[in-house]
Every structure is written in structure tokens, then in C-alpha cells.
């Protein structure tokens, strides 16, 4: 799989066109400055920004080290709330699960919410 969506140019070609697009460059510059300015303002409002950032990093690192336990905990909570969790060992299995679930409904089309997971597994 190339990672390029059907009908989209390869990255080098798309990048070459994007770099030449003055409007796109201006919009990206504006967005980047806006985001950086808002972040700087938020950081300035907190005296302990560095400590909070480090605490967040430690929480993330702990969670990733114990992800297996947290995923089992999530499954229990989802199941208790009436949901169903499907486990897949790889992208192919995840795609088969999704396809089987859709086919079981008799439908031929689905609507997905924005998710990087579908891109990551090539759904």
C-alpha cells in the first residue's frame, strides 16, 4: 500500500504544487502564528506550566507502559455500558471485522467519524 489515496498525487508532486501556492502558504503562516500566539498566551497564564507539562508526560508514559491493563479496563467499562469491543491483532483483521459488521446489517454504505485509525489500517 502506497499510503496515497486514490486520485491524489504522490507526495513530492503535491508538495511541489503546495509550495508554489501563495494563498496556501499565507494561510499556513497565519494559522501557525495564531496557534503559537494562543499557546504562548496560555503558557503565560500558568506559573507552573513546566511542572504541569512534565506531569502530563509522566501520566502518558505510565499509561503507555500499562496500556494492556487500561485496554482491559476500557473493555469492561464499554461492555458494562452495553457496548461491544472487538479485538484485532493487525490491520487486516480489523478491516475484516469492520467489513463483517457492516455486511451483517445488510447495508452497503457507512458513515465514519473523523479518525486516524481508518487511515492507519487502510480501511
Amino acid at each position: 500500500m502506497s499510503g496515497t489515496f486514490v486520485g491524489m498525487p504522490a507526495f513530492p508532486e503535491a508538495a511541489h504544487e503546495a509550495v508554489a501556492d501563495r494563498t496556501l502558504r499565507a494561510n499556513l503562516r497565519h494559522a501557525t502564528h495564531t496557534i503559537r500566539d494562543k499557546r504562548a498566551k496560555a503558557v503565560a497564564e500558568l506559573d507552573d506550566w513546566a511542572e504541569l507539562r512534565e506531569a502530563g508526560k509522566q501520566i502518558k508514559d505510565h499509561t503507555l507502559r500499562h496500556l494492556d491493563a487500561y485496554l482491559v479496563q476500557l473493555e469492561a467499562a464499554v461492555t458494562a455500558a452495553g457496548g461491544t469491543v472487538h479485538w484485532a491483532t493487525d490491520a487486516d483483521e480489523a478491516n475484516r471485522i469492520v467489513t463483517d459488521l457492516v455486511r451483517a446489517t445488510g447495508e452497503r454504505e457507512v458513515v465514519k467519524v473523523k479518525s486516524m485509525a481508518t487511515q492507519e489500517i487502510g480501511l
Side-chain angles (χ1 to χ4, degrees), residues 2-60:
S2 71
T4 301
F5 294 104
V6 176
M8 290 183 68
F11 178 78
E13 180 185 337
H16 181 73
E17 290 176 17
V19 168
D21 185 335
R22 290 178 186 254
T23 302
L24 177 61
R25 288 173 44 204
N27 289 345
L28 286 172
R29 187 178 311 108
H30 175 73
T32 301
H33 287 290
T34 300
I35 291 167
R36 286 181 180 162
D37 291 345
K38 286 183 178 184
R39 182 185 185 281
K41 183 178 178 184
V43 169
E45 292 175 0
L46 299 168
D47 294 333
D48 56 351
W49 173 258
E51 292 85 4
L52 289 171
R53 184 174 185 193
E54 179 59 28
K57 179 187 179 307
Q58 289 179 16
I59 292 168
K60 181 183 83 171

Side-chain angles (χ1 to χ4, degrees), residues 79-99:
T79 302
T84 304
V85 174
H86 300 271
W87 296 94
T89 56
D90 59 21
D92 289 337
E93 185 178 4
N95 283 313
R96 280 193 300 278
I97 291 168
V98 172
T99 300

